[in-house]
């Protein structure tokens, strides 16, 4: 695990609208951007299913050590569009799952998925800004925090407050990027080689300013917040485009969001490459490439109160 600054996916850059502006200032473009972010999170759940299964199975296995005298309460912190909420509800058939997020759009997608899956009686959504403090959710048995803590203004304080409302022996499981997701071969057949490396460097520099805890050691931060780390595990993401029909769509959604945020920092040749990748009718279109290799590492850290 290298805990240097790493680039996160564009959907992971900020709140779902990833523009750094406060909520309540949304215009038309922001709504479209928020919906694009939600689509990207949905694709993350579908294309990286193997990663999600490994991570959620490991968290569920850690839960078996808790005594079951009452219905367990599971919180999905910064739930996004609910891949974790729904996955945990399926794996823990007696638990109540509370999906907390600051995005109404994301929560409405979770409500719809929970209804469709017949899980609406056990999965509920709660709109809350965790920078303003924790809603009254005591006592919590397990909190799943995937790619969300680095968005908070003070994650250590949030983890310390969370510890206070977690039952004795209860768990928190944090999933964060260790190595950023990559999609592309070095030579794309357009532009000069190394496009993705340069784009990730730019993204990483933006994140170093805007989201300073990306790439932090979450084991250390959990320790500072009073938690006892019981498991730290790297889960490798490794998917190829011919094997996964949605990989091209995921890559397209990823680079489309990148194109909104970073165009002023890429040079003219790289901008041209980005346009070629996003041109769905062109010869280099992400949607139709068979040479995509999705590769990255997410670290799962589980801690006990
Ligand atoms: C990158 S997404 C991760 C979503 C989901 N956990 C996943 O892994 O697919 C980060 C989520 O954190 C939410 N978020 C960011 N800041 C928040 C805050 N202050 N309070 C509550 N949720 C927040 C965003 O709205 C977004 O849904």
């Amino acid at each position: 695990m290298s805990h240097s600054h790493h680039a996160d996916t564009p959907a992971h850059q900020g709140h779902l609208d990833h523009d750094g502006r406060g909520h309540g200032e949304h215009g038309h473009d922001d709504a479209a951007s928020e919906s694009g972010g939600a689509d990207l999170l949905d694709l993350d759940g579908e294309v990286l299913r193997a990663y999600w299964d490994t991570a959620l199975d490991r968290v569920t296995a850690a839960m078996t050590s808790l005594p079951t005298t009452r219905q367990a309460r599971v919180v999905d912190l910064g739930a996004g569009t609910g891949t974790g909420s729904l996955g945990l509800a399926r794996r823990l058939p007696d638990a109540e799952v509370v999906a907390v997020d600051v995005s109404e759009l994301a929560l409405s997608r979770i409500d719809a998925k929970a209804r469709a899956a017949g899980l609406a009686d056990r999965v509920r959504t709660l709109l809350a800004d965790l920078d303003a403090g924790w809603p009254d959710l005591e006592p919590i048995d397990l909190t799943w925090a995937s790619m969300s803590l680095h968005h908070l203004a003070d994650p250590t304080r949030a983890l310390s407050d969370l510890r206070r409302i977690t039952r004795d022996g209860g768990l928190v499981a944090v999933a964060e990027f260790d190595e950023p997701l990559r999609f592309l071969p070095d030579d794309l057949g357009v532009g000069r080689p190394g496009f993705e490396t340069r784009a990730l460097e730019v993204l990483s520099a933006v994140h170093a300013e805007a989201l300073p805890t990306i790439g932090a050691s979450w084991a250390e931060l959990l320790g500072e917040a009073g938690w006892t780390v019981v498991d730290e595990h790297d889960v490798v993401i490794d998917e190829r485009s011919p094997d996964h029909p949605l990989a091209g769509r995921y890559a397209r959604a990823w680079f489309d969001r990148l194109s909104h945020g970073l165009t002023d920092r890429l040079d003219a040749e790289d901008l041209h490459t980005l346009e070629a990748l996003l041109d769905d009718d062109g010869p280099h279109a992400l949607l139709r490439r068979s040479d995509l290799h999705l590769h990255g590492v997410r670290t799962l850290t589980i801690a006990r109160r």
Side-chain angles (χ1 to χ4, degrees), residues 32-90:
S33 173
E34 187 169 13
S35 141
D39 291 346
L40 190 57
L41 291 178
D42 279 342
L43 285 164
D44 188 274
E46 290 182 60
V47 178
L48 307 187
R49 191 179 297 269
Y51 152 78
W52 278 94
D53 284 346
T54 303
L56 295 179
D57 285 350
R58 206 163 171 108
V59 173
T60 311
M63 275 289 278
T64 52
S65 59
L66 279 180
T68 52
T69 47
R70 59 176 171 76
Q71 185 182 35
R73 175 170 293 164
V74 173
V75 170
D76 189 354
L77 183 167
T81 58
T83 305
S85 314
L86 275 289
L88 287 169
R90 288 196 186 93

Side-chain angles (χ1 to χ4, degrees), residues 99-142:
V100 181
D101 204 287
V102 74
S103 160
E104 268 180 72
L105 174 88
L107 294 181
S108 70
R109 291 206 185 180
I110 299 181
D111 284 329
K113 285 180 196 173
R115 278 196 301 275
L119 292 169
D121 56 331
R122 290 194 298 115
V123 177
R124 71 178 163 100
T125 54
L126 182 61
L127 186 68
D129 180 352
L130 294 171
D131 282 334
W134 274 92
D136 182 13
L137 286 169
E138 194 172 353
I140 299 171
D141 295 277
L142 165 70

